[in-house]
Amino acid sequence: MTFRPVALLVLLVAALLGCASPGPSPQPDGAEPTDVRAEHAPQLLLVSIDGFRWDFLERTETPHLDRLAEVGVRARRLIPSFPSKTFPNHYTLVTGLYPGHHGLVANNMWDPEFSALYTLGRRDEVANGRWYGGEPIWVAAERRGLRTSPYFWPGSVAEIGGLRPTWVDPYDGDVPNRARIDLVLDRLALDPARRASFATLYFSLIDDAAHRYDPDRAPEVAAAIRTADDLVGYLLEGLERRGLAGSDETSGAPGIDLILVSDHGMAANAPERAILLDRLVDIETANVIDWNPVAAFWPAPEAVEQIYAALHGAHPHLSVYRREEIPDRFHYRDHQRIPPILGIADEGWVVTTSQELENNPGRFPGGSHGYDNELISMGALFLAAGPSFRSGAVVEPLRNVHVYELMCHILGLPPTANDGDLAAVRHLLRSAP
Ligand code: AMP
Ligand code: ZN
Ligand code: ZN
């Protein structure tokens, strides 16, 4: 078989383009290859409703979430990774790595190599790429020329692997939730050459309410769930208004892939379930970096055994481990930021001090999370709908380390080494990989 040189060149360019980015190969019809790819390039919107426990769907009326579940797929719950905290789990969702492997081991953490403290309020550190291990999905996407908008997602303001998202939005909890939706949907609805292929949204209203009020019973939590449901309605309507609704084939589902998750659940607290650390140990010497409900102790090396001896078995509802004894199932032992001594409160118990209680009368938390990730109460939400997903399916509980592989598959990105497995989520897909 012989090729004319120009045909050979076209094939070569087509092959290169096909390797370099996701989507179908260019058609041999003379159309601009980039147009063909862009028009068919998949789009994925990942939405997080912080603290939305899996069973909050049953607490009150949630018509929009129910509709989404009907046209898409719902997991009975999403099992978070340990510790069931916000930053560790959001970063697990986008890297497929356990917190003990990606390095965001807590919301507040000490790094002995950097001699530095990371907290959510330290903007400089939150924006510093040195804290973020693994490769978040937006980095792989940007490297392949896709545009990303991981709006307010933990880690999204930092340069990681030499790259930042196309759109970088420093966290501002005061931006109204509907304005967040409008902004991100507008980026998804831009023309094919400029639009976002991967975007995220983040809402904290449920987490806020369920820390303040009893997550199991408070009407304020039920009201927040209804507001979150309204936001989902606004989001679906916004997709439709921008021409991003589904075709007849995917009737009722969004026209782009939508994954709606939460990072963890919530367990109810009560003042009679307080662990007062000052009654157990000298707080100064113990050097407590993070408190509730997973306490991170960083005493000077020579004081570790003394502090461990004081804490171990000292309270019936606080499990205390040396780093190397932390249970295997937490995958939480190797990283330098994991403290030499870790205390994990039992479900519903709060780690605090007598002074803290005295200083804040009537402000005991309604609920907390961070506990053992296998607890049913720590279970999170997982709903997905769109062209890639099955319709009307309910599946067994999923672990959140697998969501990354699922998203890479949808976007046609080769996943980086991670703790998840596409085989664990292929049953969610309309056509199995
Ligand atoms: P947690 O302490 O685990 O309940 O964390 C939830 C809180 O994290 C929210 O109420 C927000 O205030 C905060 N938060 C969420 N996303 C971000 C972000 N990207 N940057 C800084 N803070 C955030
Ligand atoms: Zn959270
Ligand atoms: Zn929270």
Side-chain angles (χ1 to χ4, degrees):
M1 197 185 242
T2 55
F3 285 106
R4 280 180 296 130
V6 77
L8 193 60
L9 188 66
V10 167
L11 279 176
L12 191 66
V13 169
L16 280 172
L17 285 168
C19 294
S21 64
S25 304
Q27 304 298 305
D29 60 2
E32 266 301 301
T34 47
D35 285 348
V36 173
R37 283 187 308 126
E39 268 166 36
H40 294 273
Q43 286 183 286
L44 172 62
L45 172 60
L46 172 67
V47 179
S48 164
I49 310 180
D50 198 316
F52 197 111
R53 196 168 72 193
W54 64 279
D55 63 339
F56 282 177
L57 288 173
E58 309 301 327
R59 270 293 291 287
T60 180
E61 293 84 60
T62 52
H64 300 106
L65 287 159
D66 296 347
R67 179 157 68 95
L68 197 59
E70 260 165 46
V71 299
V73 49
R74 172 171 71 85
R76 293 196 190 280
R77 65 179 204 278
L78 186 67
I79 303 169
S81 300
F82 181 83
S84 47
K85 282 280 185 180
T86 297
F87 267 48
N89 277 283
H90 276 86
Y91 202 62
T92 289
L93 285 160
V94 294
T95 58
L97 293 168
Y98 293 112
H101 296 166
H102 64 52
L104 284 194
V105 304
N107 287 347
N108 306 296
M109 52 188 180
W110 172 253
D111 188 303
E113 198 182 302
F114 306 157
S115 282
L117 184 68
Y118 179 105
T119 71
L120 304 195
R122 293 190 155 202
R123 287 189 167 251
D124 287 357
E125 297 300 346
V126 168
N128 191 330
R130 66 180 176 166
W131 294 94
Y132 304 91
E135 185 183 82
I137 188 163
W138 61 79
V139 171
E142 292 282 345
R143 189 175 296 128
R144 282 162 188 80
L146 300 182
R147 291 156 70 84
T148 68
S149 170
Y151 187 70
F152 288 178
W153 203 268
S156 62
V157 293
E159 183 182 299
I160 302 171
L163 285 170
R164 277 203 167 86
T166 300
W167 288 276
V168 178
D169 304 279
Y171 186 72
D172 176 359
D174 292 335
V175 176
N177 290 326
R178 289 185 179 223
R180 301 180 191 194
I181 294 173
D182 286 334
L183 183 88
V184 168
L185 293 192
D186 283 347
R187 292 173 183 172
L188 286 164
L190 288 170
D191 64 80
R194 292 191 306 141
R195 71 190 176 196
S197 293
F198 173 75
T200 72
L201 276 164
Y202 172 82
F203 307 110
S204 70
L205 74 169
I206 302 284
D207 188 73
D208 297 343
H211 278 304
R212 210 153 152 211
Y213 306 102
D214 182 339
D216 296 336
R217 281 179 197 85
E220 291 86 350
V221 173
I225 296 168
R226 283 192 293 275
T227 306
D229 186 70
D230 287 343
L231 288 173
V232 171
Y234 185 74
L235 169 67
L236 296 175
E237 198 187 286
L239 285 170
E240 214 170 303
R241 238 184 310 125
R242 290 168 178 84
L244 299 172
S247 61
D248 286 348
E249 200 185 314
T250 56
S251 59
I256 64 170
D257 285 313
L258 171 64
I259 300 180
L260 183 70
V261 293
S262 62
D263 48 352
H264 49 70
M266 201 63 84
N269 299 137
E272 63 274 17
R273 292 196 296 275
I275 300 167
L276 305 176
L277 280 188
D278 54 304
R279 304 247 177 108
L280 310 179
V281 76
D282 173 46
I283 297 292
E284 291 289 306
T285 314
N287 192 20
V288 192
I289 294 292
D290 202 10
W291 287 82
N292 180 50
V294 176
F297 302 97
W298 282 93
E302 62 278 11
V304 167
E305 278 311 308
Q306 172 212 330
I307 297 296
Y308 175 79
L311 287 168
H312 185 69
H315 193 288
H317 296 286
L318 184 70
S319 302
V320 176
Y321 304 98
R322 294 186 186 92
R323 174 174 27 218
E324 56 279 12
E325 295 164 349
I326 297 171
D328 280 342
R329 66 193 177 84
F330 293 149
H331 307 278
Y332 199 74
R333 230 184 246 168
D334 304 331
H335 206 281
Q336 71 208 32
R337 295 174 202 148
I338 294 166
I341 304 170
L342 191 75
I344 308 177
D346 282 353
E347 182 177 22
W349 285 76
V350 170
V351 183
T352 183
T353 61
S354 328
Q355 201 175 19
E356 188 74 20
L357 280 190
E358 272 164 36
N359 292 349
N360 300 292
R363 287 197 44 210
F364 203 80
S368 296
H369 55 88
Y371 303 102
D372 185 337
N373 58 313
E374 301 290 336
L375 288 166
I376 301 292
S377 61
M378 293 300 104
L381 179 71
F382 181 94
L383 289 175
S388 298
F389 292 102
R390 285 169 66 194
S391 177
V394 179
V395 302
E396 292 309 302
L398 290 178
R399 292 186 183 274
N400 71 354
V401 284
H402 303 304
V403 173
Y404 167 75
E405 286 268 348
L406 177 66
M407 296 195 297
C408 285
H409 172 76
I410 288 172
L411 290 176
L413 299 170
T416 328
N418 70 91
D419 295 312
D421 186 356
L422 185 59
V425 282
R426 61 192 302 170
H427 59 301
L428 308 180
L429 296 163
R430 195 174 284 268
S431 45

